[in-house]
């Protein structure tokens, strides 16, 4: 099929590349000229394992191209997938400016029947708004569909190629059939397409993210209680995860969820409900607990130093909101590092891939360690924000020699407290005995 994907970010580029990989002709469109220029030069604008190879292969084989010219892309496409950003407004609602601007362009430039698919995460009713917006400028026939994306940054290619499910929201079975066919190469082991109404599809995406975020906040809440009752969240986690109804996934406590999806999607869902006069109490609590979680972690650091971090040297491991991505949007680390800076600490950060994005945010307010050990030289403390694999089994003897003070604040509970105490460290995690 001939496709265009509008918006070439984490979702759009993965979608475009993987759909080209299954034999479609895909034109990826973005308004960011620099991004398109670098993609044309073969540079991937962000870190995503496995993406580089699949983009290069499909460009080389002539099935994938990049442009800023939406008119050109539309004229050659039967299906148009919208994958632009939907960032939060000040009040937490989702900002639809980019989505609606794309809809206007589609109405303006379409020259033939198209299926317009919303892949961006959008509030219920948006796909119908897109239809109305397109209709304002064309009399040509077209259909709309909702097909929210469930990939995870850091495993995006794999998630797209082997989806747990593909949600397709349509108001015409024939359109559902075409989209199922588009995804059929990724479901050869069994049909995992779930065809529902457009509104249910839009809401399913928010519900999934809110549910996952709620599990995290719930475990963080219980982890905080563990500290008060001298229980250990690691033991509680294993104990409850063995219950088949609960399951083992998404039970790890920490300094809260971040990234470009969970925080904004929970807030947008609350905003949708509020607009309809309904109070989504569970989601509100999820959001509040998440905000409090990083504040509590910071309080732990601050109180260890008696409220005075002026001149203290602090090494920081991990800036990205989770491992295997360079995305630092809404990362709890950013809050913690900003706090360290404003309290007068001298901060040296390390992250395996997110340093370029960190430099854009922190500039020269922090130092950048060449290695994770380098970040700890003469440090009074080490703060861990992200559970990168390479931080899991460090050389504690080397670390102890390098550091001036021997305290580790671990926002991801990577280590065995007993072992750390034997190695001579004061070790403060989240909801664990220290
Ligand atoms: N990142 C994820 O893990 C993820 C997962 C599932 C769903 N989503 C959703 O997918 C959508 C996109 O997310 P993302 O992380 O890929 O965003 P992103 O910020 O990485 O990329 C968005 C891209 O859209 C481009 N863009 C903006 N306006 C445009 C326009 N008018 N025309 C063409 N291009 C335009 C931007 O330049 C940018 O390159 C969001 O709604 C997000 O919630 C994201």
């Amino acid at each position: 099929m001939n496709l265009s994907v509008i918006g070439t970010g984490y979702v759009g580029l993965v979608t475009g590349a993987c759909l080209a990989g299954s034999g479609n002709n895909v034109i990826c469109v973005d308004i960011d000229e620099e991004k398109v220029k670098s993609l044309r030069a073969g540079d991937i604008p962000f870190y995503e394992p496995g993406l580089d190879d699949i983009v290069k292969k499909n460009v080389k084989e002539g099935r994938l191209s990049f442009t800023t010219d939406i008119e050109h892309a539309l004229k050659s496409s039967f299906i148009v997938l919208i994958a632009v950003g939907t960032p939060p407004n000040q009040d937490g609602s989702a900002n639809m400016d980019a989505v609606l601007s794309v809809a206007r362009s589609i109405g303006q430039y379409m020259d033939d029947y198209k299926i317009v698919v919303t892949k961006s995460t959008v509030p219920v009713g948006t796909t119908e708004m897109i239809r109305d917006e397109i209709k304002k400028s064309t009399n040509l026939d077209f259909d709309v569909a909702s097909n929210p994306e469930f990939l995870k940054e850091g495993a995006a290619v794999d998630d797209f190629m082997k989806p747990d499910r593909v949600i397709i929201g349509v108001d015409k079975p024939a359109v559902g059939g075409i989209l199922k066919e588009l995804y059929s190469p990724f479901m050869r082991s069994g049909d995992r397409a779930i065809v529902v109404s457009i509104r249910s599809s839009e809401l399913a995406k928010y519900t999934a993210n809110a549910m996952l975020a709620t599990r995290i906040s719930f475990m963080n809440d219980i982890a905080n209680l563990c500290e008060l009752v001298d229980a250990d969240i690691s033991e509680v986690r294993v104990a409850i995860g063995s219950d088949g109804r609960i399951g083992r996934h998404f039970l790890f406590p920490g300094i809260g969820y971040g990234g470009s999806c969970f925080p904004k999607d929970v807030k947008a869902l609350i905003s949708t409900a509020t607009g309809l006069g309904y109070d989504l109490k569970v989601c509100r609590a999820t959001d509040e607990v998440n905000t409090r979680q990083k504040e509590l972690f910071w309080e732990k650091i601050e109180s260890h130093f008696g409220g005075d971090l002026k001149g203290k040297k602090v090494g920081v491991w991990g800036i990205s909101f989770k491992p295997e991505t360079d995305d630092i949007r809404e990362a709890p680390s950013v809050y913690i590092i900003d706090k360290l800076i404003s309290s007068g600490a001298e901060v040296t950060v390390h992250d395996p891939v997110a340093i370029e994005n960190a430099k854009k945010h922190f500039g020269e307010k922090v130092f950048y360690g060449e290695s994770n050990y380098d970040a700890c030289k003469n440090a009074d403390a080490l703060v861990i924000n992200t559970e990168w694999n390479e931080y899991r089994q460090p050389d504690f003897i080397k670390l102890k020699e390098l550091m001036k003070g021997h305290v580790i604040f671990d926002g991801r509970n990577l280590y065995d407290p007993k072992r750390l105490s034997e190695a001579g460290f004061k070790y403060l995690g989240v909801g664990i005995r220290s």
Side-chain angles (χ1 to χ4, degrees):
M1 292 188 217
N2 291 329
L3 319 171
S4 52
V5 180
I6 321 295
T8 313
Y10 288 87
V11 168
L13 186 54
V14 171
T15 302
C18 292
L19 289 173
S22 58
N24 302 288
N25 297 310
V26 183
I27 306 177
C28 284
V29 182
D30 207 287
I31 43 165
D32 183 335
E33 288 181 13
E34 283 305 308
K35 195 176 250 189
V36 169
K37 215 195 263 173
S38 75
L39 280 163
R40 282 179 165 167
D43 296 327
I44 307 296
F46 50 85
Y47 176 79
E48 186 59 52
L51 185 58
D52 194 48
D53 288 348
I54 177 167
V55 168
K56 284 189 178 137
K57 181 174 187 290
N58 284 287
V59 167
K60 193 169 161 224
E61 289 170 9
R63 288 187 298 268
L64 181 63
S65 60
F66 303 99
T67 182
T68 52
D69 184 353
I70 191 166
E71 181 176 0
H72 156 74
L74 283 171
K75 294 212 158 120
S76 328
S77 309
F78 172 55
I79 299 178
V80 184
L81 298 117
I82 303 176
V84 296
T86 48
N89 287 316
Q90 206 75 38
D91 64 358
S93 60
N95 184 309
M96 290 295 108
D97 291 353
V99 168
L100 293 176
S101 139
V102 171
R104 278 190 288 280
S105 301
I106 295 173
Q108 200 176 338
Y109 298 123
M110 64 186 277
D111 58 341
D112 205 348
Y113 172 83
K114 314 269 172 218
I115 298 176
V116 179
V117 181
T118 320
K119 214 157 197 12
S120 300
T121 304
V122 293
V124 179
T126 302
T127 304
E128 289 160 10
M129 274 167 64
I130 290 171
R131 176 173 19 220
D132 295 343
E133 203 61 39
I134 297 172
K135 268 193 185 156
K136 283 183 191 165
S137 1
T138 185
N139 292 321
L140 290 167
D141 190 22
F142 68 96
D143 281 297
V144 292
S146 159
N147 167 226
E149 183 49 59
F150 290 88
L151 61 76
K152 302 182 285 296
E153 285 176 25
V157 172
D158 227 40
D159 284 347
F160 196 95
M161 302 280 225
K162 294 176 218 147
D164 288 337
R165 70 330 207 167
V166 173
I167 306 292
I168 296 171
V170 285
D171 52 8
K172 287 185 192 162
V175 176
I178 293 167
L179 293 178
K180 271 183 84 163
E181 194 186 328
L182 180 66
Y183 283 101
S184 60
F186 310 107
M187 294 188 284
R188 294 192 59 216
S189 60
D191 185 3
R192 295 183 299 288
I194 301 172
V195 182
V196 295
S197 72
I198 289 175
R199 285 182 167 241
S200 297
S201 166
E202 289 170 329
L203 188 56
K205 173 63 194 176
Y206 280 104
T207 308
N209 276 0
M211 171 75 90
L212 293 169
T214 299
R215 266 172 93 94
I216 295 172
S217 276
F218 179 75
M219 287 307 283
N220 283 337
D221 225 8
I222 299 294
N224 300 336
L225 181 61
C226 281
E227 292 184 11
L228 298 174
V229 299
D230 195 26
D232 190 320
I233 192 68
S234 309
E235 293 171 357
V236 175
R237 176 179 62 74
V238 174
I240 65 160
S242 60
D243 184 328
R245 294 168 301 175
I246 295 173
R248 291 190 176 82
H249 297 294
F250 264 79
L251 294 182
F252 285 88
I255 47 172
Y257 56 78
S260 67
C261 293
F262 286 6
K264 90 166 164 61
D265 291 349
V266 170
K267 287 189 174 76
L269 193 57
I270 295 168
S271 167
T272 295
T274 307
L276 295 164
Y278 186 72
D279 182 11
L280 271 181
K281 288 186 180 186
V282 174
C283 289
R284 247 185 333 107
T286 295
D287 186 45
E288 281 167 23
V289 168
N290 195 54
T291 302
R292 188 181 60 180
Q293 200 62 9
K294 55 193 174 201
E295 293 168 355
L296 289 175
F297 189 62
W298 165 246
E299 281 168 22
K300 230 175 239 179
I301 300 171
E302 202 180 27
S303 87
H304 173 83
F305 289 104
D308 182 12
L309 277 103
K310 215 169 177 51
K312 297 286 178 207
K313 288 191 173 195
V314 181
V316 173
W317 288 1
I319 308 166
S320 58
F321 81 95
K322 66 175 182 178
E324 297 301 328
T325 180
D326 62 354
D327 198 343
I328 67 164
R329 291 179 281 184
E330 302 265 348
S333 67
V334 173
Y335 171 86
I336 301 294
I337 297 167
D338 280 340
K339 280 286 188 191
L340 286 167
I341 296 167
S342 64
S343 66
E346 187 183 293
V347 183
T348 305
V349 299
H350 176 265
D351 189 283
V353 299
I355 290 300
E356 284 314 308
N357 284 336
K359 283 183 178 166
K360 286 181 206 151
H361 181 86
F362 300 113
E364 292 179 359
K365 290 189 199 140
V366 298
F367 296 99
Y368 298 93
E370 297 271 304
S371 69
N372 55 330
Y373 293 109
D374 189 33
C376 293
K377 268 186 202 153
N378 294 320
D380 293 284
L382 166 63
V383 173
I384 301 175
N385 296 309
T386 318
E387 64 276 35
W388 280 97
N389 255 341
E390 65 187 83
Y391 301 154
R392 284 182 188 272
Q393 289 183 321
D395 180 343
F396 288 114
I397 296 168
K398 182 173 170 180
L399 205 54
K400 186 140 183 256
E401 280 167 12
L402 279 174
M403 290 176 71
K404 194 163 63 182
H406 297 127
V407 56
I408 299 178
F409 300 95
D410 183 355
R412 301 294 169 186
N413 291 353
L414 297 185
Y415 311 125
D416 175 3
K418 195 160 157 270
R419 193 167 159 220
L420 269 274
S421 155
E422 283 163 10
F425 285 95
K426 185 173 168 70
Y427 179 59
L428 294 143
V430 179
I432 53 173
R433 293 193 194 98
S434 47

